[in-house]
Amino acid sequence: TINAILVITFLSCNQQTVDTKTEGEKLMNVSREWSKVAATRDVEKTLSYWADNATVISAGEPTLKGKQAIRQMVEGSFKNPSFKISWEPESVEISKSGDVGYMIEHDDLTVNDSTGNPKTQHYKSVTVWKKQADGSWKNVVDVMSPDSSK
């Protein structure tokens, strides 16, 4: 039993404590950076924030699974000259282990209507992120829904 106590003590001393507040701030900054990258219309840089197996769910649209499906959506959106998207994280939660986080975000999407005038739609989104082996964060689930409060 002494050996068991020593092993438990050793293991508990070696567990890293994650500063979830600092990790949350880092993740919110990653999201803000991603929004700025999307505004440049750079397909490759925009795609780099999603994990290879990511899922995108938007109200009224088919669910997109994987980078190839997401690429088609991004390329199609960027081909529309009036398309603009930006977002701002509102809140973040990081798991105690520090390897998963989620955010509530506010999104603005603008495209020209049938008369050629810009029309901005407001969305709320939930994004789920997973920390990668290299310490970077990748989006694994992106769910966007119209924001009826706007």
Side-chain angles (χ1 to χ4, degrees):
T1 57
I2 296 271
N3 286 341
I5 292 171
L6 288 174
V7 168
I8 291 170
T9 302
F10 176 76
L11 289 175
S12 64
C13 290
N14 281 337
Q15 290 179 346
Q16 288 184 311
T17 303
V18 174
D19 182 345
T20 56
K21 184 174 189 229
T22 299
E23 278 303 314
E25 289 168 3
K26 285 180 190 175
L27 186 52
M28 288 179 85
N29 285 331
V30 169
S31 179
R32 289 181 184 111
E33 177 186 288
W34 190 15
S35 180
K36 288 176 186 170
V37 166
T40 70
R41 303 170 87 83
D42 183 318
V43 173
E44 295 309 318
K45 282 186 182 177
T46 300
L47 284 170
S48 73
Y49 289 84
W50 275 293
D52 289 340
N53 63 343
T55 300
V56 174
I57 302 169
S58 297
E61 299 291 329
T63 297
L64 304 176
K65 293 184 182 228
K67 269 242 181 108
Q68 189 54 39
I70 296 169
R71 172 184 295 280
Q72 290 174 352
M73 181 261 307
V74 171
E75 288 174 345
S77 297
F78 287 176
K79 283 180 184 173
N80 180 339
S82 71
F83 175 86
K84 292 180 188 147
I85 189 166
S86 64
W87 59 89
E88 177 64 27
E90 294 178 4
S91 64
V92 64
E93 291 291 329
I94 302 293
S95 65
K96 286 183 182 181
S97 60
D99 61 344
V100 175
Y102 73 87
M103 285 184 279
I104 307 295
E105 299 176 293
H106 168 82
D107 307 15
D108 292 320
L109 191 149
T110 304
V111 292
N112 287 353
D113 64 16
S114 59
T115 64
N117 294 314
K119 180 166 172 69
T120 300
Q121 298 171 315
H122 305 284
Y123 294 88
K124 283 280 194 187
S125 62
V126 176
T127 56
V128 180
W129 297 74
K130 189 170 182 187
K131 191 173 247 189
Q132 306 301 295
D134 67 1
S136 67
W137 287 96
K138 296 282 185 183
N139 179 282
V140 293
V141 178
D142 197 337
V143 181
M144 208 164 84
S145 180
D147 186 353
S148 60
S149 69
K150 297 278 180 180

